[in-house]
Amino acid sequence: MQKNEVTVLNKPLGRRSFLKGSAAVAVAAGAGAFVAGCSPKTEEKPADLAPKTPEEAGEIVTPGVCRGGCGAGCQMNVHVRDGKIVKTSRREQSNPDTTRVCNRGLAHSLRVYAEDRLKYPMKRAGERGEGKWEQISWDEAVTTITDKWKEVAEKYGPGANGFLKSSGNISPDAHNCLMLRAYMGATLIDPACDRALYVAGPAAAGYSNRFCGSALEDVFNTKNLLIWGYNPTESTSHMTHYLLRAQQEHGTKLIVIDTTFTIIASKADMFVPIHPGTDGALALGMMNVLVSDGLTDEAFLAANTVAPLLVKEVDGTYLRLSDLSKAAAGTTEDLFVVCAADGSFGSVAEITSPAIHGKFTVEGTPVTTSYDLLLERVAEWTPEKASEICKVPVETIKELAHIMVDSPAAVAPGLGLDHYTNGTATYAAIFAMTMMAGQLGKPGTGFKGAFAAESALGWMPYGLVTPADAPKSNTFYAPAMLNCMDSGKYGDADINIKTLYIWNHNLFGGQVGNVKWREFLKDVELIVVADVVSNSTTDYADIVLPACHYFECESASGESTKYVFYNQKAAEPLYESKSDYDISCLFFEKMGLQDKNYDTLDKLFEAVFDNDVARAIDLTWDRVKKEGAVLTWPQENYVYGEDGVWVTPTGRLQFYQEAIPLDTNYGQTVDFVKERLPYWEPPIEGWRDNELAAKFPLVFTSERSKFKVHTQFTHVPWFLELEAEPYVMVNPADCEPRGIVDGDYVRVFNDRGTATLLVRFNDGIRPGMVVIDRGWEQDQHVAGFYSDLLSYNVTPVVANSYYFDTLVQMEKANS
Ligand SMILES: Nc1nc2c(c(=O)[nH]1)N[C@H]1C(S)=C(S)[C@@H](COP(=O)(O)OP(=O)(O)OC[C@H]3O[C@@H](n4cnc5c(=O)[nH]c(N)nc54)[C@H](O)[C@@H]3O)O[C@H]1N2
Ligand SMILES: Nc1nc2c(c(=O)[nH]1)N[C@H]1C(S)=C(S)[C@@H](COP(=O)(O)OP(=O)(O)OC[C@H]3O[C@@H](n4cnc5c(=O)[nH]c(N)nc54)[C@H](O)[C@@H]3O)O[C@H]1N2
Ligand code: SF4
Ligand SMILES: [Mo]
């Protein structure tokens, strides 16, 4: 063994050791030294148990922002004693609705002093994944990495260096390496999370600084709220109180449409269980009922949506004045042509009450209103047909359609729908249904919940990622890249990645297509992972860099609250860890790009706030530092579209897509005729009639755990006391025929992978589904890894990661 060689350095307790040793041992071995004040040992009870103020306890309290990808970005108190972060607590904000912290936020000290905390830069001393490491200096690490980047750029071109980041720490300083990658001309590999919603939403309803939603409080004006594929109590606990207060104080009816009987379903006024991947069919069925029962809001459609615009039969684009030689194409005068009640044609500016129905020939050009094209799609979706697909009773489909016009009604769309390959079309159908019901642009209507509401993100971008003076470079969406790997071409670009820098991302714990990724990484000569803790991805790296915890460096963040919050550095980075910003500076320097970098954090944040939206409200870095929390949205109610302004290319709500903005071009063929309007087709893999379903009959999905954000907090001893190992939730009906009883170990498998883990019976899980409480690491399983099971199909319009579109089989594991 060499002098510095260490084996299994910084490994947290794996499954076996954790289960053998008690939780108390885990605490003592890990964070115990620093959290003794929070978990007093029984034999040493202090005489005075009365709670102490921070001053009495000798603590300094600083503001810290939790920002690990749950989307909330709560600011909390960080209590520091003798330079150590001893605990976190709730921090009072001027708005009580934003005064919050969840169980994970309260466990941060255990992440800071986690046993799996990475301490030093390390390089691999054995085979990849073997767990043998050698400690190296920062200088050696940075020199090795940058030398390799230069060598690869020289030999294969700058695009052969790859950069991959995700949501480990949502703040601009943590993302400064994105700017480095742009200046290096390196390839950005995007993990492609949640793309279906974030493409379909803006395409339909536009994109303002509040996505396409209204003020969070506007839900108090909602009479009927469809919580659709959204699990707020687990995924956005910081927002759930808006929904429950709406129900309890304002009489809002909560209608939950979900595959699982979730906690919010248990609080709902109506629960609509649905077959996985079929929500598009339900929405189309509801539209059909709106039409047949005469419930559509035609005045709303005419005034606010693309309904009256005339679509040319020849190419599916809208008829404009330029088609009639009355304006120059592409100019601001080139307005859409619509049909008036008397059958004459003119521009949208001239005709105030345009027809939304009709097929016409305008100066020799055959056209149809886009609304009639939508109705043609909807016509086949009788509630009977929809019910056959989605397994929601015909009467319930009818009832839901009527609920949607019992105004004000709104939809809170979640990401549960995003994670099937038909997700984009599903959202398109739900948004179109909302338009037909006329439920937008008025108080209490539109889109609600965490993913379609105001956030401070508009004011504070995630990072300065693509500077104007950076060379041209490629972006590959990870699942599309995996699908293109065998051909070696991503559209026109070569896939030839020789180095990969991964930060703020647990690739193997979070991506689809693990098996294909491992194949891909065989050709990658250098894998570097910068993380706070060791995990399934650092295990596989060639060089590991220790990043510090958020509370150990200065920063700011603005997520789904109305605030940009300041994060003060509470303690020194532990061991040799460094912030991502400091790491990026070392790289900029060694790459000779230091003149492109913001060489101080202050300069970086000044640049971050140097944008029009921030300037308009006088939001500056100086203010954020001085005030600690800057309110970015007015407190009064805001209703998107109430002023008639829809931030879309047509200036109208769009259920018809004239131009389909491709998320990424990986050489795919797009069926534009199909994609322009909502439709439903089965998920590519996770569908009961697929051939594969004969072998693998169960749809495998995941639930957000209240004890984790993705894979973060996975080794927190408090949470391991409550849930010690990975488990799947299954309806007993699927277990009986397989001879499985509650508490057994089961093997869940398909052609891609296998995972052996505990089974928990749960009557709330739909028969035919296996649901994992996700976020576990590979070494916490008895065998295999649940993440290995996931499919990685992509669709033409959105190259998303479709986490739920997976079929598996389950059997009792050999004990
Ligand atoms: N099966 C399944 N898989 C899924 C999903 C699912 O529903 N089911 N959901 C998916 C979704 S929607 C998303 S958004 C992704 C998210 O996927 P990821 O963003 O990869 O989420 P995490 O697992 O939290 O990984 C973030 C990593 O960043 C590290 N980190 C934290 N702070 C810092 C820091 O300051 N610096 C650095 N360098 N690292 C830091 C954390 O320790 C952690 O290892 O997961 C996806 N994966
Ligand atoms: N605690 C915690 N909070 C988190 C995260 C975390 O990892 N942990 N991750 C964050 C991130 S990045 C994201 S993207 C969000 C996502 O949070 P959510 O938007 O809530 O999305 P999911 O939890 O993926 O799924 C939501 C619901 O969809 C249901 N569902 C599954 N399939 C279907 C279906 O076919 N139809 C219908 N109608 N419902 C279905 C699931 O049962 C689940 O209840 O959560 C964020 N918040
Ligand atoms: S995990 Fe999310 S909800 Fe919990 S404290 Fe952190 S930011 Fe807030
Ligand atoms: Mo996500």
Side-chain angles (χ1 to χ4, degrees):
M1 205 192 239
Q2 293 176 22
K3 197 165 124 259
N4 279 334
E5 191 181 319
V6 234
T7 48
V8 206
L9 192 66
N10 302 325
K11 283 309 295 170
L13 294 177
R15 176 184 173 272
R16 299 258 169 237
S17 46
F18 181 81
L19 293 177
K20 260 192 267 150
S22 70
V25 174
V27 172
F34 300 116
V35 294
C38 312
S39 37
K41 293 180 200 134
T42 38
E43 70 272 19
E44 295 174 13
K45 259 189 199 153
D48 177 13
L49 281 175
K52 290 192 169 77
T53 62
E55 294 75 39
E56 287 164 352
E59 289 170 9
I60 299 165
V61 176
T62 60
V65 189
C66 176
R67 53 204 128 103
C70 94
C74 304
Q75 191 185 47
M76 60 195 65
N77 289 322
V78 181
H79 297 246
V80 180
R81 213 183 296 154
D82 300 329
K84 304 278 185 315
I85 295 169
V86 289
K87 68 169 185 179
T88 41
S89 69
R90 198 178 66 162
R91 189 174 181 86
E92 298 302 320
Q93 303 294 342
S94 59
N95 177 354
D97 281 327
T98 339
T99 300
R100 64 212 182 172
V101 60
C102 78
N103 55 319
R104 300 174 297 274
L106 291 173
H108 265 298
S109 59
L110 294 156
R111 249 182 87 70
V112 174
Y113 303 105
E115 189 179 347
D116 52 345
R117 182 82 193 248
L118 292 167
K119 296 187 173 71
Y120 324 101
M122 294 184 291
K123 74 176 180 198
R124 180 161 62 81
E127 292 303 307
R128 266 187 192 161
E130 204 188 345
K132 291 192 178 154
W133 298 97
E134 184 185 330
Q135 183 184 335
I136 55 174
S137 68
W138 269 102
D139 189 52
E140 181 182 344
V142 172
T143 308
T144 310
I145 295 163
T146 49
D147 282 354
K148 186 71 182 174
W149 283 344
K150 289 176 197 162
E151 178 202 313
V152 162
E154 179 105 327
K155 207 159 145 195
Y156 303 100
N161 289 311
F163 281 67
L164 168 60
K165 72 112 187 98
S166 187
S167 61
N169 176 354
I170 299 180
S171 56
D173 49 309
H175 290 180
N176 207 40
C177 269
L178 285 174
M179 205 171 70
L180 171 79
R181 97 78 219 168
Y183 282 120
M184 283 172 58
T187 298
L188 177 67
I189 301 176
D190 188 314
C193 310
D194 311 322
R195 297 301 306 154
L197 176 61
Y198 290 105
V199 168
Y207 191 87
S208 71
N209 281 322
R210 312 183 195 222
F211 190 52
C212 48
S214 305
L216 293 162
E217 293 83 355
D218 189 51
V219 73
F220 300 149
N221 299 314
T222 302
K223 190 169 174 192
N224 289 298
L225 179 68
L226 269 55
I227 299 177
W228 204 328
Y230 175 30
N231 190 10
T233 59
E234 317 305 294
S235 66
T236 53
S237 48
H238 61 290
M239 297 270 175
T240 309
H241 62 97
Y242 286 104
L243 308 180
L244 295 177
R245 276 183 57 201
Q247 184 191 44
Q248 287 155 20
E249 296 168 17
H250 303 272
T252 307
K253 294 263 180 299
L254 303 183
I255 297 107
V256 170
I257 307 173
D258 206 293
T259 46
T260 298
F261 186 68
T262 55
I263 292 177
I264 197 73
S266 76
K267 307 279 172 239
D269 299 274
M270 180 178 176
F271 171 52
V272 181
I274 188 165
H275 189 85
T278 64
D279 301 80
L282 172 61
L284 285 156
M286 287 166 68
M287 287 193 249
N288 188 290
V289 177
L290 290 176
V291 176
S292 59
D293 290 5
L295 304 174
T296 55
D297 188 340
E298 299 214 342
F300 176 85
L301 285 161
N304 292 283
T305 75
V306 293
L309 305 192
L310 302 171
V311 176
K312 291 184 278 184
E313 208 174 272
V314 60
D315 62 3
T317 62
Y318 292 127
L319 189 72
R320 290 178 167 80
L321 288 176
S322 57
D323 294 302
L324 312 178
S325 310
K326 289 185 179 155
T331 60
T332 46
E333 289 79 42
D334 192 14
L335 300 173
F336 299 115
V337 174
V338 290
C339 178
D342 63 3
S344 64
F345 296 93
S347 80
V348 277
E350 296 155 355
I351 297 171
T352 45
S353 304
I356 63 169
H357 296 284
K359 251 186 179 9
F360 316 97
T361 300
V362 188
E363 295 186 12
T365 305
V367 293
T368 309
T369 63
S370 61
Y371 188 52
D372 270 5
L373 293 177
L374 175 65
L375 293 182
E376 281 173 24
R377 280 274 167 103
V378 168
E380 66 172 291
W381 285 99
T382 60
E384 289 73 20
K385 176 174 169 173
S387 172
E388 176 51 34
I389 300 288
C390 68
K391 305 296 179 198
V392 174
V394 170
E395 284 316 308
T396 311
I397 298 176
K398 290 182 179 167
E399 190 183 352
L400 285 171
H402 284 257
I403 285 172
M404 264 316 283
V405 292
D406 186 7
S407 189
V411 177
L415 276 305
L417 314 169
D418 171 283
H419 301 341
Y420 299 87
T421 47
N422 58 13
T424 314
T426 296
Y427 288 118
I430 292 173
F431 297 151
M433 183 277 295
T434 315
M435 294 174 209
M436 283 172 83
Q439 298 302 318
L440 284 136
K442 288 169 281 205
T445 63
F447 306 119
K448 306 286 176 232
F451 306 109
E454 59 192 353
S455 82
L457 270 182
W459 309 116
M460 202 192 82
Y462 277 136
L464 302 166
V465 291
T466 38
D469 61 338
K472 218 172 150 283
S473 61
N474 294 319
T475 297
F476 296 163
Y477 281 65
M481 182 184 80
L482 297 182
N483 279 279
C484 297
M485 201 178 108
D486 296 336
S487 74
K489 281 277 186 196
Y490 190 106
D492 294 334
D494 290 329
I495 304 176
N496 188 22
I497 302 293
K498 295 292 177 199
T499 71
L500 189 56
Y501 184 70
I502 304 172
W503 78 119
N504 287 296
H505 180 39
N506 186 352
L507 190 162
F508 288 118
Q511 285 220 13
V512 293
N514 271 2
V515 180
K516 201 73 181 165
W517 258 112
R518 287 200 192 93
E519 210 182 295
F520 180 87
L521 291 174
K522 277 190 196 138
D523 287 338
V524 176
E525 295 165 13
L526 180 68
I527 307 170
V528 183
V529 183
D531 207 298
V532 184
V533 293
S534 73
N535 59 33
S536 308
T537 306
T538 56
D539 283 356
Y540 207 72
D542 300 317
I543 293 183
V544 166
L545 301 177
C548 68
H549 185 276
Y550 337 116
F551 298 158
E552 295 168 345
C553 58
E554 188 182 27
S555 183
S557 189
E559 296 179 44
S560 59
T561 68
K562 294 166 189 269
Y563 292 89
V564 168
F565 286 129
Y566 179 56
N567 180 96
Q568 194 178 323
K569 177 176 173 175
E572 285 304 316
L574 275 185
Y575 317 111
E576 290 187 17
S577 67
K578 289 184 190 298
S579 71
D580 286 301
Y581 171 73
D582 285 343
I583 299 173
S584 75
C585 292
L586 295 175
F587 289 147
F588 267 104
E589 185 79 32
K590 272 263 160 51
M591 291 304 287
L593 289 166
Q594 60 274 32
D595 57 323
K596 299 292 183 193
N597 191 19
Y598 296 99
D599 60 1
T600 65
L601 196 76
D602 283 337
K603 285 187 200 161
L604 171 69
F605 271 100
E606 276 156 20
V608 163
F609 293 113
D610 185 15
N611 63 65
D612 289 343
V613 276
R615 253 189 302 277
I617 56 157
D618 191 28
L619 174 66
T620 60
W621 176 228
D622 210 35
R623 260 190 83 196
V624 172
K625 281 207 285 191
K626 278 199 190 106
E627 296 172 29
V630 178
L631 185 68
T632 55
W633 293 109
Q635 297 282 12
E636 62 265 19
N637 200 31
Y638 163 84
V639 179
Y640 177 52
E642 200 174 26
D643 52 4
V645 177
W646 304 105
V647 196
T648 63
T650 56
R652 288 164 173 265
L653 292 164
Q654 310 186 134
F655 54 75
Y656 180 89
Q657 303 303 327
E658 183 193 38
I660 297 174
L662 283 190
D663 208 21
T664 176
N665 185 352
Y666 57 92
Q668 70 271 44
T669 319
V670 184
D671 179 348
F672 286 98
V673 175
K674 178 173 95 177
E675 303 290 352
R676 283 197 163 114
L677 284 159
Y679 62 91
W680 180 85
E681 62 183 29
I684 293 178
E685 179 169 317
W687 180 237
R688 57 184 186 245
D689 293 338
N690 276 353
E691 240 174 70
L692 208 59
K695 246 165 97 185
F696 305 118
L698 305 164
V699 177
F700 179 64
T701 69
S702 22
E703 182 172 291
R704 316 271 146 190
S705 163
K706 57 169 72 64
F707 300 119
K708 302 178 187 71
V709 178
H710 305 296
T711 63
Q712 299 189 56
F713 302 94
T714 299
H715 287 106
V716 165
W718 293 345
F719 301 155
L720 285 172
E721 280 188 50
L722 299 166
E723 289 190 343
E725 59 183 312
Y727 61 91
V728 284
M729 293 170 281
V730 190
N731 191 292
D734 284 320
C735 294
E736 268 164 38
R738 292 175 172 83
I740 295 165
V741 298
D742 195 16
D744 269 352
Y745 282 95
V746 290
R747 197 171 80 87
V748 181
F749 62 97
N750 58 23
D751 285 337
R752 286 178 294 269
T754 172
T756 305
L757 68 187
L758 204 63
V759 75
R760 279 195 189 164
F761 279 16
N762 186 329
D763 287 319
I765 301 294
R766 193 177 176 84
M769 294 183 76
V770 176
V771 180
I772 184 156
D773 140 85
R774 72 173 287 267
W776 300 93
E777 299 289 354
Q778 176 153 15
D779 62 2
Q780 292 174 305
H781 291 64
V782 174
F785 192 12
Y786 80 88
S787 244
D788 288 353
L789 301 170
L790 307 187
S791 71
Y792 54 95
N793 292 309
V794 278
T795 45
V797 175
V798 181
N800 197 18
S801 298
Y802 297 111
Y803 309 102
F804 294 0
D805 203 349
T806 287
L807 288 175
V808 294
Q809 180 55 291
M810 177 181 64
E811 64 184 19
K812 194 172 157 77
N814 299 329
S815 43

